Amino acid sequence: MSLTPVCGFRFILLTILIGVQAVVFSQTTHTISGHIRDALTGETLIGASITLKANPSIGARANNYGFYSLTVPEGDHVFVFSHVGYQVEEAAIGLTGNRTFDIELQLGEMLDEVVITKSSKSENVSSPQMGVARVDINEIRHVPVLMGEKDVLKTIQLLPGVLSGGEGSSHFFVRGGTGDQNLILLDEAMVYNASHLFGFFSTFNSDAIKEVNLYKGGMSAQYGGRLASVLDINMLDGNKKNFGAEGGVGIIASRLKVDGPIVKDKGSFMVSGRRTYADLFLKFSNDESINQSSLYFYDLNAKANYRLNDRNALFLSGYFGKDVLGYSDLFGFDWGNATATLRWNHVLNNQLFSNTTLVYSNFNYNVNIDNEDYDFVIASRILNYNLKQDFQLYATNKSTWRFGVNLLRQRISPANIDADEDTPVNSLQLEDRTGMELAAYISHEWNPTDHLNVVYGLRVNNFLLFGPGVFSQYDADGDIMGSQTYKNGEVVQHYINLEPRLSLSYQLQGNNSLKVSYNRNSQNLHQLSNSTSSLPTDAWVMSSNNIKPQVADQVALGYYQNFGGDVYEFSAETYYKYMQNQIDYRNAADLQANEHIEAELLYGMGRAYGLELFLKKREGKFNGWLSYALSRSERQFDDINEGNWFVARQDRTHDVSLVGMYQLSPRWNLSATFVYSTGNAVTFPSGKYSVDGQTLWYYTERNGYRMPDYHRLDLGATWESKVTKRFKTTWTFGLYNAYNRKNAYIIDFRENESNPNITETYRIALFGIIPSITWNFKF
C-alpha cells in the first residue's frame, strides 16, 4: 500500500493553511497567546476566555489543553481573563509584536473546591455545535446511583437521547444506535468494554476525571469510527503546586487518589485507584467452595505531565482495570482494559498549536473451566496502536482551522479454546484478523457575522483488512461460495469513505438561536451481541470481504434559549438518522468460537428519528434538569420479519429523566432522580406446538412485544464537615429504588405444573430498595 495520496492531501492542506496564516501576518495586528491555569492546582482551564475590555466582542477561548490565541490591533490593551467559578483577572499589555502570556486564575471566594466547567453561560446558544452534552464533574458527585458509586455513564443516561442498557447498567444507547456504535475515549484511548460486573459499574473513577463531553450529533471531523456518539473523557493532570490526597470508603468499594508536583509549577502526577471487596466477605463462609471464590474488580488511573518550556509539554497517562470472578478452583472468568497515551503539545507559533499522540489499547478476557469432566481455557483479545497528529490554527479571531491525520492499527484474536487432551471439549484455534484505518480530516469554524457561526469539515477514512489467513465468501444462505488464502501483509479488502460534516447556528433576537447539522459517519469495527447489554464475551469483527462498513447519515434541527439571566437553559432538538449495512443474526446463530461467524450474519438498513427536550436550572440553592425524548429506532432485513420494518431492541418511545439537587444548608445537600421509560422491544412467543411430546415455542414478529414500562426513584444526601486548610470530609447517603418498584429484568414463559395446557409468564426483578453510605475525605 502506498501512502502517497494521503501525504499529498496533507501537503495541500498545509499549503492552504500556511497561505491563510501569511495573509493574517501581513496585517498590522499582533497575536497574544499562552495558557490559562488554575492558581491553586496548576490545572489548565479548558474553555477559559480572554476578551478585550474595550470591546468584549473580540475574544477567544482556551482549547482542551488550556491554550488560547487572540489576534488584535497593535497598541495598548486591557485583556480580561475569566472562567466560570473563578475571579476575573485583568492585564494591561502593550503589543508591538507577537506576545506569549500565561496567567493563573483564582477560585471565586465562595467556592471551596475546583469546579471545572467548559462552557460559558451562553455558549450553548452561540456555539454552532448541537447534540453536545458537557457533564459537570461536581454534578456527577451529587447524582444518586446504584451502590453509591458516582458514575459517569449512569449520569449521561439522564440526558435526552441517551438510553440505559437495563436495570443498573452502565451500558447505553444514543439516538437509536447500538451499544458498539458509541466511541468511548479515555485520554484519546479507545475503551472497548466500559463496564464492571457485567455493566453494573462503569470503568471510570470520577475522582480521576477532569471533563466529560458527549457528542450525539454534529460531530467535529477529528472524530470518527463510530455511528452513534463520541464520549470523550479526559483525566486530571495532577496538582502542580502541592501534594494532596482524597478518596472514599463505601459499602462495596473504596478508592484513593494521590497527586502532586514532580517539579513545582512545571510538572505533576496523579494516581487514582479503586477496588471492590465483596470477595473479602466470602472468606467468612464455612463453605470451602465459597471462601475460595473470587468476586472483585479494580481500576488504576495514572497520569504525569511535564512542561519543557513555554512551547512544549509532555503528557503520559494510563488506565488499567480488571474484573475477576471465580467459583472455588472450578471456574474462573476475568476481563479488563489497559490503555496508555503519550502526548506532545507543541506551540509552533502564536497561532498554530500541535498535538502529537501515540495510543495503546488492549482489551482481553479469559474463561477457565477446571473440574472432573472439563479442563479448558477460552481467551480473546483486541489490541490497537493509534498514531494521531492534530493541528489547530487560529487564523483570525473569527476563523479557526483544525486538521490532522490518524493511523490506527487493530488486531483481533477471536475466542480460542485450549482444551486438555482428556476433556470432551475440542481445542479450537481461530485466525487473528488485522486491519488498519488511515484517516485525514480538515475542519473550519467560521464566524462570518455576529449572528452566524459555522463549522464545516471533511473526514476521509481508508480501511484495509490484511492477511495472513483464509478468507471465505458466503452466499445469501450462509453457505461457503469459495475461499482464498492471503499472505502476511496482503490486502484482503479495503473501503474508502468520505464523511462530510456541517453545523451552523444563527443567533436570533435575545439569547436564543436556531441550529442545524448534518454529519456522515462510518464504522469498521462491529460487536456481535444478541443481548441488550454489552458482555465481555461478545465477539468483535472487522469489516471484511463479506461485512461492509456501517454508514450513518444524520440531520438535526434545534432551538436553544437561555432566560432568567442565563440561570435557565432550554433546548429542543429533532433528528433523523439513516443507517446502512446494519448487522443482525440468523435464527439460532452461534456467535461464540465460530470460525465461520460471518455466515451467521444478515445485513440490512436502519432508521432512527425523534424529538429531545431539555430544561436545566444552573444556579441557586435548587438546581437540576428535566429531559424528555420521544423517539423511534427501526431496522429492515430481507430475511427477518418477512422483509418488513421492525423496531430495534433498544427502541423506547418515551424516556423521561428528572434530576434535582437542593442545598439545604452549608453542610447538607439533598438530591433525587426519577426516571421513566417505555419498556424495551422484545420477541415473545405467539404460540406453542408439540413435537414428539416436547413443547416448542412459536415466534412470529421480531421485537413485536414490549417489556413493562420502567420507572424508579433514587434519593441522595451529602453532609460536609467544616472545611479546614488541610482536611475535609463528607458523608454520602443514598437510596436506590426508593419506593421498591419491581421492574422486570426478565420475563419468561413456562407450562403450568398442574395443567400443561396452560402457559404462564413469570417475571424476575433484579433490585429492590438498596441503601448505600460512603465516607469521603480530602486533604
Side-chain angles (χ1 to χ4, degrees):
M1 170 192 157
S2 173
L3 300 183
T4 303
V6 174
C7 293
F9 178 68
R10 183 182 176 189
F11 176 77
I12 292 172
L13 296 182
L14 286 172
T15 302
I16 294 173
L17 296 173
I18 290 172
V20 172
Q21 190 178 3
V23 172
V24 174
F25 287 157
S26 66
Q27 301 173 358
T28 56
T29 58
H30 303 295
T31 300
I32 180 172
S33 64
H35 292 82
I36 305 175
R37 298 184 175 88
D38 177 270
L40 182 63
T41 66
E43 287 275 357
T44 54
L45 297 180
I46 299 170
S49 65
I50 172 177
T51 59
L52 282 181
K53 186 174 183 178
N55 187 357
S57 64
I58 299 177
R61 295 195 179 281
N63 66 9
N64 284 353
Y65 305 98
F67 176 81
Y68 73 90
S69 176
L70 181 66
T71 301
V72 296
E74 185 175 275
D76 296 331
H77 301 282
V78 176
F79 295 95
V80 180
F81 297 85
S82 63
H83 191 56
V84 176
Y86 288 79
Q87 298 178 21
V88 176
E89 297 285 347
E90 295 185 358
I93 301 174
L95 290 182
T96 57
N98 293 338
R99 170 82 180 267
T100 298
F101 184 79
D102 295 336
I103 191 170
E104 294 182 341
L105 302 184
Q106 298 283 345
L107 279 171
E109 294 180 359
M110 300 303 294
L111 297 180
D112 56 10
E113 62 177 300
V114 179
V115 179
I116 300 176
T117 305
K118 184 171 182 177
S119 60
S120 72
K121 289 184 176 183
S122 60
E123 186 185 4
N124 62 303
V125 173
S126 60
S127 169
Q129 285 187 318
M130 60 185 303
V132 180
R134 295 182 171 94
V135 183
D136 191 328
I137 299 301
N138 195 49
E139 289 177 344
I140 292 176
R141 291 169 180 164
H142 285 292
V143 174
V145 293
L146 179 65
M147 301 294 185
E149 286 295 305
K150 304 310 176 187
D151 199 312
V152 171
L153 298 189
K154 290 177 184 175
T155 301
I156 67 171
Q157 292 171 9
L158 302 172
L159 300 174
V162 184
L163 302 179
S164 165
E167 176 76 83
S169 175
S170 58
H171 197 51
F172 64 99
F173 309 105
V174 176
R175 290 189 171 177
T178 57
D180 72 311
Q181 292 175 356
N182 302 314
L183 177 62
I184 302 177
L185 301 174
L186 181 63
D187 271 5
E188 301 189 51
M190 291 185 187
V191 179
Y192 291 94
N193 188 292
S195 62
H196 289 301
L197 293 181
F198 301 102
F200 295 129
F201 301 91
S202 81
T203 58
F204 305 116
N205 183 354
S206 61
D207 286 349
I209 294 174
K210 182 176 186 177
E211 68 157 357
V212 180
N213 292 321
L214 175 68
Y215 300 86
K216 300 179 292 183
M219 300 173 194
S220 299
Q222 65 260 36
Y223 295 113
R226 298 294 189 274
L227 300 191
S229 74
V230 177
L231 181 63
D232 194 356
I233 302 175
N234 290 323
M235 289 194 289
L236 289 163
D237 297 332
N239 195 319
K240 290 184 175 66
K241 307 286 186 176
N242 301 289
F243 290 95
E246 64 178 283
V249 179
I251 293 177
I252 194 171
S254 291
R255 63 189 195 281
L256 176 66
K257 184 189 80 174
V258 179
D259 65 349
I262 298 174
V263 176
K264 193 170 184 179
D265 294 325
K266 292 184 70 68
S268 62
F269 75 93
M270 184 277 298
V271 178
S272 178
R274 177 178 60 163
R275 190 192 192 278
T276 58
Y277 32 70
D279 57 316
L280 300 182
F281 296 102
L282 301 180
K283 304 298 182 183
F284 295 102
S285 174
N286 295 324
D287 188 329
E288 186 173 314
S289 298
I290 295 178
N291 62 39
Q292 292 183 2
S293 297
S294 301
L295 177 61
Y296 67 91
F297 70 78
Y298 68 84
D299 294 313
L300 180 64
N301 297 78
K303 191 168 184 177
N305 68 91
Y306 187 78
R307 181 159 52 95
L308 302 174
N309 52 44
D310 290 340
R311 293 187 177 271
N312 294 278
L314 295 176
F315 301 81
L316 177 63
S317 61
Y319 167 81
F320 311 92
K322 186 174 285 291
D323 285 69
V324 179
L325 306 177
Y327 179 69
S328 187
D329 57 354
L330 304 178
F331 170 81
F333 183 21
D334 65 82
W335 70 92
N337 294 278
T339 72
T341 304
L342 177 62
R343 286 189 288 199
W344 171 37
N345 286 176
H346 177 53
V347 181
L348 282 84
N349 58 50
N350 293 75
Q351 291 177 286
L352 187 58
F353 183 88
S354 166
N355 182 52
T356 306
T357 311
L358 179 62
V359 181
Y360 163 86
S361 182
N362 181 11
F363 170 74
N364 65 82
Y365 73 81
N366 297 276
V367 180
N368 300 278
I369 306 294
D370 185 7
N371 55 44
E372 295 179 357
D373 300 319
Y374 298 93
D375 183 7
F376 64 92
V377 176
I378 304 175
S380 178
R381 186 171 81 162
I382 306 175
L383 179 66
N384 80 47
Y385 298 93
N386 194 359
L387 177 61
K388 301 174 62 179
Q389 177 58 60
D390 301 291
F391 294 96
Q392 192 168 0
L393 172 65
Y394 301 86
T396 70
N397 296 333
K398 295 181 179 292
S399 175
T400 301
W401 294 84
R402 295 175 183 267
F403 55 100
V405 293
N406 182 12
L407 178 63
L408 171 66
R409 183 182 185 276
Q410 291 184 313
R411 188 178 186 88
I412 298 178
S413 299
N416 292 312
I417 302 175
D418 186 8
D420 188 78
E421 294 181 356
D422 299 327
T423 190
V425 176
N426 296 323
S427 294
L428 177 64
Q429 297 296 318
L430 302 181
E431 294 178 337
D432 290 357
R433 290 290 185 254
T434 302
M436 180 180 294
E437 289 192 48
L438 183 61
Y441 73 89
I442 182 170
S443 178
H444 183 206
E445 182 172 354
W446 181 39
N447 185 206
T449 71
D450 292 338
H451 295 280
L452 183 63
N453 202 344
V454 183
V455 176
Y456 61 92
L458 176 68
R459 183 179 181 89
V460 182
N461 183 284
N462 184 22
F463 173 80
L464 301 101
L465 178 66
F466 295 109
V470 178
F471 295 81
S472 301
Q473 290 183 314
Y474 305 92
D475 61 19
D477 297 322
D479 298 323
I480 297 178
M481 298 172 56
S483 299
Q484 185 173 348
T485 301
Y486 290 84
K487 298 179 181 179
N488 186 28
E490 283 190 292
V491 177
V492 179
Q493 186 72 44
H494 79 94
Y495 298 96
I496 296 179
N497 278 290
L498 301 179
E499 303 175 19
R501 314 284 172 86
L502 171 67
S503 299
L504 61 88
S505 68
Y506 185 80
Q507 194 147 355
L508 306 171
Q509 295 296 326
N511 203 0
N512 56 85
S513 66
L514 289 174
K515 299 184 184 182
V516 64
S517 71
Y518 164 76
N519 58 272
R520 165 172 279 211
N521 291 276
S522 65
Q523 179 169 331
N524 290 292
L525 185 67
H526 321 281
Q527 184 181 25
L528 306 183
S529 174
N530 52 15
S531 68
T532 55
S533 297
S534 176
L535 300 177
T537 54
D538 288 340
W540 291 81
V541 294
M542 297 180 187
S543 296
S544 68
N545 51 322
N546 298 293
I547 305 173
K548 294 181 180 180
Q550 299 182 64
V551 178
D553 294 273
Q554 178 177 268
V555 293
L557 175 67
Y559 173 77
Y560 297 77
Q561 181 177 9
N562 289 354
F563 55 95
D566 281 326
V567 173
Y568 295 92
E569 168 190 341
F570 172 77
S571 66
E573 293 187 20
T574 182
Y575 66 91
Y576 181 87
K577 183 190 300 182
Y578 174 68
M579 295 169 279
Q580 304 175 54
N581 306 324
Q582 298 301 282
I583 299 174
D584 212 311
Y585 321 107
R586 302 180 188 276
N587 292 331
D590 181 11
L591 301 181
Q592 295 298 327
N594 184 352
E595 61 180 324
H596 295 291
I597 193 170
E598 293 183 14
E600 306 282 2
L601 306 182
L602 301 173
Y603 309 99
M605 300 181 295
R607 63 189 181 195
Y609 46 92
L611 171 68
E612 299 170 1
L613 304 177
F614 185 68
L615 176 64
K616 183 175 184 178
K617 185 176 184 291
R618 300 168 165 176
E619 300 175 5
K621 286 190 174 182
F622 176 77
N623 56 77
W625 67 85
L626 171 65
S627 73
Y628 169 72
L630 173 67
S631 62
R632 175 68 71 176
S633 180
E634 299 172 312
R635 301 294 185 269
Q636 190 273 324
F637 293 79
D638 291 340
D639 295 330
I640 299 176
N641 205 37
E642 298 180 348
N644 298 317
W645 287 89
F646 61 91
V647 295
R649 286 173 299 175
Q650 65 272 19
D651 176 82
R652 293 177 202 161
T653 309
H654 305 282
D655 187 73
V656 180
S657 296
L658 177 61
V659 179
M661 289 167 278
Y662 181 66
Q663 193 70 43
L664 182 64
S665 69
R667 294 194 183 183
W668 280 101
N669 182 281
L670 306 180
S671 58
T673 298
F674 175 77
V675 294
Y676 168 86
S677 66
T678 305
N680 286 337
V682 64
T683 304
F684 285 148
S686 300
K688 65 179 181 179
Y689 56 94
S690 179
V691 177
D692 296 330
Q694 183 178 3
T695 299
L696 302 176
W697 301 114
Y698 174 67
Y699 295 91
T700 55
E701 184 179 359
R702 176 74 67 95
N703 296 338
Y705 296 86
R706 290 277 179 184
M707 296 286 280
D709 290 352
Y710 181 97
H711 52 89
R712 191 190 74 245
L713 173 67
D714 303 333
L715 302 175
T718 300
W719 179 86
E720 299 185 7
S721 67
K722 288 185 177 181
V723 180
T724 67
K725 291 184 178 180
R726 294 189 176 183
F727 195 70
K728 174 184 176 181
T729 64
T730 63
W731 287 90
T732 301
F733 307 92
L735 198 62
Y736 181 86
N737 196 8
Y739 55 80
N740 200 30
R741 162 73 175 179
K742 299 298 184 181
N743 288 296
Y745 186 69
I746 295 174
I747 291 181
D748 209 345
F749 300 83
R750 63 190 176 196
E751 294 180 345
N752 186 279
E753 292 183 1
S754 59
N755 187 352
N757 293 322
I758 298 177
T759 301
E760 59 185 19
T761 63
Y762 64 95
R763 171 193 300 200
I764 297 176
L766 198 59
F767 297 121
I769 298 176
I770 299 181
S772 64
I773 181 172
T774 304
W775 174 64
N776 305 289
F777 60 87
K778 183 177 182 179
F779 59 88

